[in-house]
Amino acid sequence: MTQVKQIIYKSHPDGMPKESDFEIKTTTIDESDLKEGQLYVQLLEVSVDPYLRYRMVEVGGGFEPFKVGQVMNSIALVRVITSKSDQFKKGDIVTGWSVPWQEYSILDATGVQKIPDVDVPLSYHLHSLGMTGLTAYFGLLDICNPKQGEIVLVSAAAGAVGMLVGQIAKLKGCKVYGIAGGEKKVNFVKQLGFDDALDYKGVSNMDDAIKKLCPDGIDVYFDNVGGETLEAVMINLRNFARISLCGSITEYNNAESSKGPRRYFNLTYANAKMEGFLVARWKDQFPKAIEELAGWLKEGKIQEKIDEWKGLENIVPAFIALFTGLNVGKVVVKIAE
Amino acid sequence: MTQVKQIIYKSHPDGMPKESDFEIKTTTIDESDLKEGQLYVQLLEVSVDPYLRYRMVEVGGGFEPFKVGQVMNSIALVRVITSKSDQFKKGDIVTGWSVPWQEYSILDATGVQKIPDVDVPLSYHLHSLGMTGLTAYFGLLDICNPKQGEIVLVSAAAGAVGMLVGQIAKLKGCKVYGIAGGEKKVNFVKQLGFDDALDYKGVSNMDDAIKKLCPDGIDVYFDNVGGETLEAVMINLRNFARISLCGSITEYNNAESSKGPRRYFNLTYANAKMEGFLVARWKDQFPKAIEELAGWLKEGKIQEKIDEWKGLENIVPAFIALFTGLNVGKVVVKIAE
């Protein structure tokens, strides 16, 4: 019997998630409960992502909602302490999409995969070589098929997904513009190789700001925010433009209170499409994509940026920070070495 | 010198177009003004279409706006009276996209095409074999690629485009549902072969009504209306659904006053796309499409329905009737035999 700390989902947030919507508890776990096909694992690093907010609702749009009272979970890296599966052995580092926020857990081996054998810092497996990287890769390349010389705009450009989208678009020979909040983020994005970036803070008219940033219009918009930015994009679309829907600030509460993008009908005049995706649809192509991403990383063609927090008690603050605009790059919380 | 009647665009409508936004005038036309490369033509039949409303604005979204004081124009059929072009001869029936609403006109030969040589009533060249038919054909087949057994929903199903979309979807082996206003239209749509149809009049909750009409969800939505119907579709999308944007009641005024579709972010959860189009993009494929449509028509695989009005003075009332829900099928105004 081991005493372990865990984070419980306590209440559905009303708007912005607060620390009081979660609770740290202590529970006991008995390694001898381990059954055939299961793993006893230690939590190493936790990925916090905006999409988790979409699960913090009573009725979910497309993700399985968290139930009040359950242990929180997310994508994470764990170390196998004891294995009763012939797929994994002691010491393996594995990742899963629904790993409990709990120091030690018993997991079904079917719910985890080994991380790819690439010599990079562990946290990269939660970013460029993990779900975030795959989201950027497929959400840009498969949904938008950007071509050499096309104009690509990325919102939340300094965020975990956006920073990769912009860099991949540059690799494809596109002209890449970013939108981010604050000078620090704008500079970060430019240093990554974006052709230019807009600081949305202090912008009074988003329509004018986007037109000034992209005077020749937009072929591809990778949308991490929705709202006014998406509406401004609608009047700056080039013919046959593509919009990849990845995130929306207007949807953080729930779909009922959301506003749709005015001027969506401009998609007609521009022969343009707006397409949404869940990255799991490309599951079969993950290994090949990760291989390509790892190659780019090794050759220095894409840069990494990890915003590392420490300790189980900081998972929730790190998650909340995603919505207050504090983070640059990928937020990861390290629990153990 | 000949005295001819014409219809002048008098003012930008505020909301619904009114007869007073137009004016019938008499002008003189001199056939001897005809220059090389021009045609002197008689107006035979005029097509009135909802998209003309999008041109009745000061600043256009994607169509060239009408200017106050100009002669109105639209797609129409005319007979060549005198030709100074070697492409056309006296007696040819030709069609153009911007034919003046005027009994006789001088047109550049480059702006018109001969109608295809198919033995059908003349008005069919404004409907199933004209721009309307091409809109239905490409807007459904190219944007949505409906597959055998898929569920297709069409709004304004008894209208000129909708009635063809539904029939083409049936030809492709789809399960087809329509939405229309009033019992007469619903019966018309069912008689065309739609599997079922919803009368939106008297519907108090569109979400529930759509869910009841399409309990297994929607693979393809051909949208002629936007608004609440589009919002209801968003929560009934099947995985990999496609929405073809053809019309939007919310856009009749202008894009600024429009509301976007709430729940658009559900496109994400459904891996779905929403795509707009202007039919001109498939210009190169028009002849082949018209050949196929003409074949279906001759074999009785698609039914026609022309709502014929008569007389130049009735073009405007016929156009206005598009927005008051009076018409079933394609509205055409016959000016001369």
Side-chain angles (χ1 to χ4, degrees), chain B residues 68-124:
Chain B
V68 167
Q70 81 165 90
V71 181
M72 280 292 303
N73 65 60
S74 72
I75 295 169
L77 299 171
V78 299
R79 178 183 289 121
V80 177
I81 305 292
T82 311
S83 170
K84 286 205 174 181
S85 156
D86 52 12
Q87 304 295 306
F88 303 98
K89 62 177 195 304
K90 182 179 169 170
D92 280 349
I93 309 262
V94 303
T95 184
W97 286 34
S98 302
V99 177
W101 292 1
Q102 181 170 296
E103 291 167 308
Y104 290 83
S105 301
I106 290 172
L107 300 180
D108 288 336
T110 50
V112 297
Q113 309 84 43
K114 254 177 239 176
I115 56 171
D117 185 20
V118 189
D119 184 25
V120 293
L122 210 51
S123 54
Y124 290 16

Side-chain angles (χ1 to χ4, degrees), chain B residues 286-304:
Chain B
F286 281 178
K288 213 174 138 268
I290 287 176
E291 198 183 314
E292 187 162 24
L293 287 160
W296 288 336
L297 205 54
K298 274 198 270 188
E299 296 161 25
K301 286 182 178 168
I302 54 176
Q303 294 179 49
E304 258 289 2

Side-chain angles (χ1 to χ4, degrees), chain A residues 3-189:
Chain A
Q3 297 263 348
V4 298
K5 279 192 287 181
Q6 60 179 192
I7 296 176
I8 300 292
Y9 183 59
K10 210 173 130 196
S11 54
H12 299 302
D14 180 16
M16 190 85 98
K18 303 172 303 295
E19 294 209 33
S20 58
D21 293 320
F22 306 88
E23 189 176 21
I24 300 184
K25 281 196 172 172
T26 300
T27 188
T28 57
I29 188 163
D30 192 344
E31 199 185 325
S32 66
D33 286 344
L34 204 64
K35 294 193 193 70
E36 212 46 55
Q38 289 188 324
L39 309 169
Y40 183 66
V41 302
Q42 179 185 19
L43 189 60
L44 299 182
E45 297 197 12
V46 168
S47 173
V48 289
D49 301 285
Y51 87 90
L52 294 172
R53 178 64 187 86
Y54 303 136
R55 298 182 62 186
M56 297 175 183
V57 289
E58 253 181 277
V59 182
F63 300 105
E64 200 195 336
F66 291 119
K67 289 191 183 61
V68 167
Q70 80 165 91
V71 181
M72 279 294 302
N73 65 61
S74 71
I75 296 169
L77 299 170
V78 299
R79 178 184 289 119
V80 177
I81 306 293
T82 312
S83 171
K84 286 207 173 178
S85 155
D86 52 12
Q87 304 295 306
F88 302 99
K89 61 178 196 301
K90 182 178 170 168
D92 281 348
I93 309 264
V94 303
T95 182
W97 286 34
S98 302
V99 177
W101 290 0
Q102 183 170 293
E103 292 167 309
Y104 290 83
S105 304
I106 290 174
L107 300 180
D108 288 336
T110 51
V112 298
Q113 309 84 43
K114 254 178 238 175
I115 56 170
D117 185 21
V118 188
D119 183 25
V120 292
L122 210 51
S123 54
Y124 289 15
H125 294 289
L126 295 179
H127 188 211
S128 54
L129 304 184
M131 193 272 281
T132 311
L134 293 164
T135 297
Y137 183 95
F138 288 107
L140 176 69
L141 299 181
D142 200 282
I143 299 285
C144 301
N145 188 23
K147 289 182 268 301
Q148 171 105 19
E150 283 195 320
I151 297 163
V152 174
L153 179 68
V154 188
S155 53
V161 175
M163 66 168 279
L164 294 174
V165 168
Q167 292 184 86
I168 296 170
K170 283 307 297 177
L171 285 178
K172 296 294 169 183
C174 299
K175 194 140 190 162
V176 179
Y177 299 99
I179 306 172
E183 202 186 333
K184 183 179 157 199
K185 290 186 185 179
V186 162
N187 289 339
F188 167 65
V189 153

Side-chain angles (χ1 to χ4, degrees), chain A residues 164-232:
Chain A
L164 294 174
V165 168
Q167 292 184 86
I168 296 170
K170 283 307 297 177
L171 285 178
K172 296 294 169 183
C174 299
K175 194 140 190 162
V176 179
Y177 299 99
I179 306 172
E183 202 186 333
K184 183 179 157 199
K185 290 186 185 179
V186 162
N187 289 339
F188 167 65
V189 153
K190 286 183 185 169
Q191 171 264 316
L192 289 177
F194 282 57
D195 292 277
D196 202 358
L198 168 72
D199 179 1
Y200 69 78
K201 289 187 180 171
V203 162
S204 58
N205 184 318
M206 190 54 88
D207 292 355
D208 294 346
I210 298 287
K211 197 174 279 302
K212 201 175 154 201
L213 181 68
C214 306
D216 296 322
I218 297 158
D219 292 300
V220 167
Y221 175 50
F222 194 98
D223 185 15
N224 286 309
V225 301
E228 276 185 7
T229 310
L230 179 56
E231 293 178 346

